[in-house]
Amino acid sequence: MEFAKKQRNKILWSDETKIELFGLDSKRYVWRKPGTAHLPTVKHGGGSIMLWGCFSAAGTGRLVAIEGKMNAAKYRDIPDENLLQGAQDLRLG
């Protein structure tokens, strides 16, 4: 427990997330007044952004917008290119 307490300010966490700009990427339901089913609906879709970030007990680090689709190479390259700088920005280790 003592070791964990001493190290807690030296841990850097990272994660990525996809944010949908027009709601969740799932089924959408539309409520209509009776007799209006023939009217068209406005559709939004396909709008999203993928972000990667890091944080620690010392604060938040870098936030990176991920261009294009996430693949195995990007999944490796993003931390390789940003994790060390994030740790240095937060003065960890």
Side-chain angles (χ1 to χ4, degrees):
M1 186 59 119
E2 279 304 311
F3 174 80
K5 286 180 182 178
K6 288 179 184 177
Q7 302 303 314
R8 70 175 169 217
N9 291 331
K10 296 180 183 178
I11 297 172
L12 184 63
W13 300 91
S14 72
D15 200 7
E16 70 281 334
T17 189
K18 178 180 175 185
I19 299 172
E20 297 290 331
L21 301 179
F22 296 107
L24 298 174
D25 191 16
S26 61
K27 290 184 180 181
R28 293 177 179 90
Y29 297 93
V30 177
W31 179 88
R32 294 177 176 264
K33 290 182 182 179
T36 63
H38 65 285
L39 297 175
T41 60
V42 176
K43 295 189 180 3
H44 301 282
S48 65
I49 185 170
M50 190 84 165
L51 299 171
W52 175 93
C54 61
F55 59 95
S56 76
T60 55
R62 299 185 134 204
L63 184 63
V64 178
I66 300 167
E67 300 291 329
K69 296 220 177 223
M70 178 65 94
N71 57 30
K74 282 187 185 180
Y75 198 81
R76 287 186 309 269
D77 292 345
I78 291 168
D80 283 348
E81 296 168 2
N82 296 285
L83 208 53
L84 180 59
Q85 185 62 49
Q88 289 172 346
D89 293 346
L90 293 168
R91 296 182 183 98
L92 301 177

